[in-house]
Amino acid sequence: MTKEIKNLKQFSRAAEKFEGANLLCPGCAHGMIIREILNAVDGHIVIGNSTGCIEVSTAVYPYTSWDVPWIHIGFENGSTAVAGVEAMYKALSRKQKYTGDKPKFVAFGGDGSTYDIGFQWISGCFERGHDLTYVCFDNEVYANTGGQRSGSTPIGSSTSTTPAGRVSYGKKDKKKDMLAIMAAHGSPYVAQVAPNKWKDMNKKIKQALDTEGPTFINALSACTTEWRFDCNNTVDIMDLAVDSLVFPLYEIIDGHELNITYRPKNIIPVRDYLGAQGRFKHLFKPENEHIIEQFQKDVDKKWEMLQRREEARV
Amino acid sequence: MKGWNEFEIGSVLFPFNEDGVQAQGKMREERSYTENSSRSASVAHWRVQKPVHNHDHCINCFFCWVYCPDSSILAKDDQMSGVDYVHCKGCGVCVSVCPTNPKSLLMFDENEANEEALKQWPQKEEKQK
Amino acid sequence: MALKYELSKVEVWDGNMAASHALRQAQVDVVAAYPITPSTPIVQNYGKFLSDGYIDGEFVMVESEHAAMSACVGAGAAGGRVATATSSQGFALMVEVLYQASGMRIPLVLNLVNRALAAPLNVNGDHSDMYLSRDTGWISLCAYNPQEAYDFNLMAFKIAEDLRVRIPVIVNQDGFICSHTAQNVAPLSDEEAYEFIGEYKQKNAMLDFSKPITYGAQAEEDWHFEHKAQLHHDLMNSHVVIEEVFDLFAKKTGRKYNIVEKYDMDDAEVVIVALGTTVETARVAAKKIREEGIKAGVVSLRTLRPFPYKLVAEALKDVKAIAMLDRSSPAGAMGMLFNEVGVAVLQNSTKKPILSNYIYGLGGRDMTQENLLQIYRDLDANAKANKLTHPTQQFIGLRGKKMAFN
């Protein structure tokens, strides 16, 4: 059972399933996302978690922050771990050895384990059609290990393996379009969400969890440590991300039906978003200004594409 | 700390002393947690500053509740009822997202008593034209 | 409900088919697997059983061996019976997750059809993958022929799932020589086999929502050592349950296995220690060489892990010369059996037998009767001289200039 949240007053009656005194950084958006997901589920839920910030912060022996069944195996296989649980559920149900309510099967992973090292495992799970929801906590960097670039890191970002320097503007390559790739798997539902847009996020989480088959959620997760902004600004930074359309909010149903779910009233310039974070600070030097321009062009192009696809209904 | 022969095999952990399904239906104050739940730990020492809540200005919008990464905003009977200072890390997100004027949550020095903090609450800010 | 498979008293099965039937009879809840030579037929047979209605568990054909073991760990943690099969490179790809499976105490069964490791790539049988499993924290059982591949699979579930053990189990059989060689196999009926293994006993199941569980926590220097030590302790003590299960199996079938198998050891003076199909070949050679007046015997292991330190020493305590035969490239050391059996013997024996090491059969090279007879003659010479009459480590069946060390 997944709740549709009408207002926050109603939401605040949720019995929390994720505990504090975890070791996530102060102001980490991961905590917001986890709460917004778990608090929306009333029935059974099982989580498979890939190695990453969440795992090393929420299950450090002898403490666990999880009030629901949770498993972590490795960096690459959070998806397959929970697929294994789902397979066991099916077998035991068929043999009438499990007679309880059907749980929600959910995998959590960062962008490192989603875009990079765990990609094959996710692809396999989606091809096989396990009934699970994969949630990527996309903070666009290997934050757990000290800020190395990932396949999700945007162009121009200064990371610990692509540091900006005398002759470099940071990461040279663009962010992978994970949502398009997951939609191309024929997934019945994929969506991008941002926890600062909680209502939009709740609707999509509900749809993802309540849809039979493998569904995918890419959740924006601002990282105070590696994006370098003050920890009280997490929500503001994510507001800038969605209002500049750097992180557009949309969904794709059955691999083709694209809906834009949030249109900023005032689209703000990409440079306002970049300027609020230390990881892009060097782009404001004259010799790097062209990257900001290119970034803006890429965002415009993507937005144009999304609008056209939404209109075309294909 | 326990020796090798004194804990459950497989390095597994259990958060509840009571039935898990029942526990999940209850609010946290009413649950029986094990010593292995991080609920039993504290991160109060992480804070340099703490958020203080002022009832007088609060409109119970629950923005602070939904955006608190550490589930440390306490709500009771649809009312915002304060801050859980055992699990609050002092990030200040709750203060940033508070929409009232003046804000209903403000950061104060960790050592400041809440009563003292409330006395220093700012007046409504005039909108600059 | 799965259909009953009518079996004859004696079937003609190769090792792979024997393993497949054992998995079917165990009514495994989840098999997650990826095909690789020479274990592929295990998975293919299983798929055929499924298609014909003989299986009502889940069969998940994943995209890699790493994913296979990952799904097995997830499924096992969920709370049911789990098994898979692999070989060689596939096993190497699984290794990361093998440590997770044992560390989380997931009692799953892995059929390891032994094959060489590249490079150069080779699909044939040697023990490189078996040796790679040594430190993974799994129980490792050794079958020498198709009948044993069947028997050990049934016993593996019972051992792994015993509440005193809860440690995953590998069942080794030699690639091709065992896995693809059809022999007479006497199976149990479906009912008898399942009854022998018993119902799966849930422990710390993720699908038990009354007891939400956290699997796979991180434990740093203040806890990691204790967890690893606990696993080692329980692995070392698992021989108690293994022996119990061997006894129960003997009562059921008349086939009695021993943790250390002794062939003609009553008066043996020179002994070969080996694993896999070579054990049977060595028994033939031992019998033959006795015609020359050489008192030959064969000692072999059923449990590579837990290593039967005391039992193997006991079996070898009165002999004069021992050859440890290793079918895996020692890669810069003495062979594993030489090191482990040798130390066990020296630590426990009052006499000091002459120890030697033979590296043989890599990548499926035949181990011939000639080779084995020659080893016994070497041992006999050592026994008579009461010292090594040749270098400690020799390569046998190798072309080119003779290779030997130490």
Side-chain angles (χ1 to χ4, degrees):
Chain A
M1 285 169 294
T2 329
K3 285 183 282 206
E4 189 185 337
I5 309 300
K6 298 266 176 8
N7 58 61
L8 287 180
K9 205 165 267 181
Q10 173 212 346
F11 206 10
S12 76
R13 290 173 213 140
E16 304 257 3
K17 299 183 187 71
F18 179 64
E19 300 297 339
N22 57 59
L23 306 180
L24 292 166
C25 299
C28 175
H30 283 5
M32 301 177 191
I33 298 165
I34 295 169
R35 289 187 59 232
E36 286 186 42
I37 294 170
L38 292 189
N39 286 340
V41 178
D42 272 335
H44 299 328
I45 179 170
V46 179
I47 297 170
N49 211 135
S50 295
T51 309
C53 285
I54 300 176
E55 170 263 329
V56 301
S57 301
T58 64
V60 182
Y61 203 88
Y63 290 115
T64 176
S65 301
W66 301 95
D67 295 341
V68 297
W70 182 94
I71 185 168
H72 155 252
I73 305 177
F75 202 171
E76 61 292 82
N77 52 11
S79 55
T80 314
V82 87
V85 180
E86 185 249 14
M88 183 55 76
Y89 157 79
K90 279 202 262 187
L92 296 186
S93 295
R94 190 179 305 127
K95 297 179 179 186
Q96 284 162 356
K97 290 177 180 171
Y98 176 85
T99 51
D101 294 336
K102 184 179 180 184
K104 302 290 184 196
F105 301 98
V106 179
F108 287 168
D111 50 284
S113 43
T114 307
Y115 287 64
D116 296 347
I117 195 172
F119 181 69
Q120 171 191 310
W121 286 254
I122 298 169
S123 181
C125 284
F126 275 60
E127 180 266 325
R128 294 190 300 274
H130 293 281
D131 187 14
L132 59 82
T133 297
Y134 189 98
V135 183
C136 172
F137 290 65
D138 189 0
N139 59 15
E140 304 185 328
V141 71
Y142 287 95
N144 176 40
T145 48
Q148 298 81 13
R149 63 88 87 184
S150 80
S152 171
T153 306
I155 190 169
S157 183
S158 181
T159 73
S160 61
T161 48
T162 60
R166 207 173 299 149
V167 295
S168 173
Y169 56 80
K171 194 197 177 200
K172 302 273 185 293
D173 324 287
K174 293 176 188 174
K175 183 183 171 100
K176 199 191 260 188
D177 188 350
M178 194 66 189
L179 214 64
I181 296 167
M182 296 322 294
H185 279 74
S187 165
Y189 189 75
V190 305
Q192 289 215 133
V193 304
N196 49 319
K197 300 293 171 195
W198 61 265
K199 210 163 190 172
D200 177 74
M201 173 160 164
N202 170 259
K203 233 175 121 186
K204 289 171 178 164
I205 291 292
K206 181 171 163 54
Q207 181 148 359
L209 291 177
D210 290 348
T211 299
E212 183 97 14
T215 55
F216 182 83
I217 295 285
N218 198 48
L220 175 69
S221 189
C223 175
T224 160
T225 308
E226 297 302 339
W227 295 14
R228 280 164 265 154
F229 58 83
D230 290 342
C231 63
N232 60 331
N233 286 335
T234 309
V235 172
D236 307 316
I237 292 288
M238 292 193 288
D239 280 344
L240 291 172
V242 295
D243 285 337
S244 63
L245 298 171
V246 168
F247 200 88
L249 301 181
Y250 62 102
E251 61 189 12
I252 305 172
I253 297 165
D254 289 333
H256 65 276
E257 187 188 331
L258 191 148
N259 302 308
I260 295 168
T261 59
Y262 172 75
R263 287 166 199 278
K265 284 194 191 85
N266 299 306
I267 298 174
I268 61 155
V270 166
R271 60 186 307 124
D272 289 5
Y273 168 68
L274 302 180
Q277 305 166 59
R279 62 174 172 157
F280 296 118
K281 197 174 154 201
H282 57 284
L283 295 183
F284 291 84
K285 288 183 189 163
E287 67 270 27
N288 292 334
E289 275 279 347
H290 67 284
I291 299 299
I292 300 184
E293 279 164 39
Q294 191 189 327
F295 208 129
Q296 181 71 58
K297 269 186 204 153
D298 290 346
V299 166
D300 293 345
K301 214 162 72 185
K302 175 86 184 271
W303 185 238
E304 172 74 18
M305 186 274 284
L306 292 176
Q307 287 178 306
R308 281 195 187 185
R309 274 200 57 189
E310 182 182 50
E311 207 177 327
R313 314 308 292 156
V314 285
Chain B
M1 288 207 289
K2 288 176 174 172
W4 68 267
N5 52 339
E6 295 169 314
F7 47 75
E8 181 59 32
I9 62 165
S11 49
V12 295
L13 295 165
F14 300 95
F16 297 129
N17 279 320
E18 61 179 319
D19 181 278
V21 180
Q22 283 173 13
Q24 279 176 20
K26 295 183 198 168
M27 299 308 271
R28 288 180 299 181
E29 315 78 71
E30 291 145 28
R31 296 176 185 164
S32 173
Y33 288 96
T34 66
E35 60 178 6
N36 297 120
S37 170
S38 70
R39 174 89 181 153
S40 312
S42 170
V43 283
H45 60 288
W46 289 28
R47 280 195 310 271
V48 183
Q49 289 195 303
K50 64 176 174 182
V52 175
H53 178 239
N54 187 331
H55 259 294
D56 298 345
H57 306 286
C58 181
I59 56 171
N60 293 308
C61 68
F62 288 95
F63 285 179
C64 55
W65 180 88
V66 73
Y67 294 134
C68 175
D70 293 296
S71 31
S72 293
I73 300 294
L74 304 171
K76 207 171 182 185
D77 305 329
D78 294 351
Q79 300 277 316
M80 203 294 211
S81 65
V83 176
D84 168 359
Y85 289 119
V86 179
H87 302 102
C88 168
K89 294 168 186 161
C91 68
V93 164
C94 53
V95 173
S96 292
V97 300
C98 181
T100 62
N101 184 2
K103 284 184 183 287
S104 318
L105 282 152
L106 285 172
M107 298 304 281
F108 286 87
D109 188 273
E110 179 63 22
N111 299 318
E112 185 87 60
N114 280 17
E115 305 79 54
E116 290 302 313
L118 289 169
K119 282 182 203 160
Q120 301 164 35
W121 217 264
Q123 296 297 304
K124 181 172 179 172
E125 262 179 60
E126 293 301 324
K127 270 194 185 158
Q128 286 173 351
K129 289 190 181 164
Chain C
M1 196 52 191
L3 297 172
K4 179 185 153 83
Y5 201 115
E6 294 296 343
L7 297 171
S8 307
K9 273 210 150 56
V10 176
E11 295 279 347
V12 180
W13 287 344
D14 61 21
N16 279 330
M17 183 57 91
S20 307
H21 273 285
L23 298 190
R24 181 187 59 72
Q25 292 184 320
Q27 298 182 26
V28 179
D29 296 309
V30 174
V31 169
Y34 187 83
I36 182 167
T37 305
S39 65
T40 307
I42 296 183
V43 210
Q44 288 174 331
N45 298 335
Y46 197 78
K48 178 68 174 151
F49 295 155
L50 182 86
S51 295
D52 290 341
Y54 294 113
I55 279 163
D56 57 3
E58 282 291 300
F59 181 45
V60 191
M61 284 307 294
V62 291
E63 79 287 349
S64 74
E65 287 89 354
H66 191 291
M69 191 46 67
S70 303
C72 283
V73 169
R81 186 164 288 159
V82 180
T84 187
T86 195
S87 295
S88 182
Q89 310 301 130
F91 181 77
L93 186 56
M94 274 184 187
V95 164
E96 184 199 13
V97 196
L98 293 175
Y99 285 81
Q100 307 274 12
S102 59
M104 295 188 214
R105 308 294 291 270
I106 312 290
L108 55 99
V109 172
L110 163 64
N111 272 277
L112 184 55
V113 181
N114 303 130
R115 168 186 152 184
L117 281 167
L121 190 120
N122 177 292
V123 297
N124 283 293
D126 74 23
H127 294 155
S128 301
D129 49 9
M130 183 205 292
Y131 281 26
L132 180 59
S133 78
R134 278 177 295 164
D135 293 350
T136 56
W138 286 52
I139 291 169
S140 187
L141 305 177
C142 304
Y144 312 149
N145 60 43
Q147 177 73 62
E148 295 174 2
Y150 172 80
D151 293 351
F152 276 78
N153 262 284
L154 298 185
M155 292 190 284
F157 288 104
K158 202 169 178 65
I159 293 164
E161 294 170 8
D162 190 290
L163 290 171
R164 295 165 290 173
V165 179
R166 299 307 272 204
I167 293 170
V169 176
I170 291 170
V171 177
N172 292 287
Q173 60 169 296
D174 278 5
F176 292 107
I177 308 178
C178 179
S179 70
H180 285 63
T181 305
Q183 293 187 356
N184 284 356
V185 175
L188 300 176
S189 72
D190 284 7
E191 295 87 352
E192 284 175 319
Y194 190 74
E195 195 210 342
F196 172 75
I197 300 171
E199 285 281 312
Y200 181 83
K201 295 173 282 293
Q202 274 198 348
K203 178 180 170 65
N204 298 338
M206 290 181 81
L207 288 172
D208 176 3
F209 291 94
S210 71
K211 227 180 155 199
I213 188 167
T214 294
Y215 265 104
Q218 183 177 4
E220 289 306 329
E221 72 282 2
D222 47 354
W223 283 100
H224 186 88
F225 197 177
E226 280 71 26
H227 286 289
K228 288 290 184 189
Q230 189 188 52
L231 171 61
H232 176 71
H233 174 269
D234 295 356
L235 189 46
M236 290 298 267
N237 282 340
S238 65
H239 70 90
V240 176
V241 173
I242 295 171
E243 271 168 312
E244 265 179 42
V245 172
F246 282 1
D247 287 345
L248 282 171
F249 193 77
K251 278 196 193 107
K252 185 111 192 163
T253 65
R255 294 192 286 274
K256 176 73 176 93
Y257 296 105
N258 302 288
I259 285 183
V260 172
E261 300 283 8
K262 293 182 276 193
Y263 179 83
D264 250 357
M265 284 301 295
D266 289 345
D267 62 343
E269 293 178 344
V270 295
V271 181
I272 280 176
V273 180
L275 296 167
T277 48
T278 305
V279 174
E280 294 189 340
T281 326
R283 287 171 182 171
V284 173
K287 197 167 182 185
K288 176 92 183 148
I289 204 84
R290 274 182 180 257
E291 290 167 13
E292 294 178 21
I294 297 174
K295 289 180 179 169
V298 181
V299 164
S300 60
L301 311 180
R302 289 301 183 183
T303 62
L304 184 67
R305 289 293 181 268
F307 186 78
Y309 200 74
K310 282 271 158 62
L311 287 175
V312 82
E314 176 66 22
L316 293 164
K317 71 176 173 4
D318 294 324
V319 308
K320 292 181 176 165
I322 310 167
M324 273 67 83
L325 272 49
D326 283 291
R327 195 172 196 174
S328 174
S329 171
M334 303 302 283
M336 183 268 288
L337 279 181
F338 178 83
N339 288 338
E340 299 199 351
V341 175
V343 170
V345 169
L346 295 180
Q347 193 81 337
N348 291 283
S349 167
T350 45
K351 294 167 197 164
K352 193 172 172 265
I354 312 301
L355 307 179
S356 54
N357 185 206
Y358 292 83
I359 308 302
Y360 76 98
L362 304 191
R365 177 68 46 86
D366 279 343
M367 181 57 146
T368 63
Q369 285 297 311
E370 244 84 303
N371 294 150
L372 288 156
L373 294 173
Q374 183 53 51
I375 292 170
Y376 277 125
R377 286 185 194 114
D378 284 356
L379 291 177
D380 187 48
N382 295 345
K384 284 182 174 132
N386 197 28
K387 63 174 189 186
L388 269 177
T389 56
H390 52 78
T392 311
Q393 181 181 67
Q394 300 184 83
F395 279 60
I396 198 159
L398 176 72
R399 281 196 308 278
K401 194 181 158 198
K402 186 174 166 61
M403 191 185 288
F405 297 95
N406 301 317

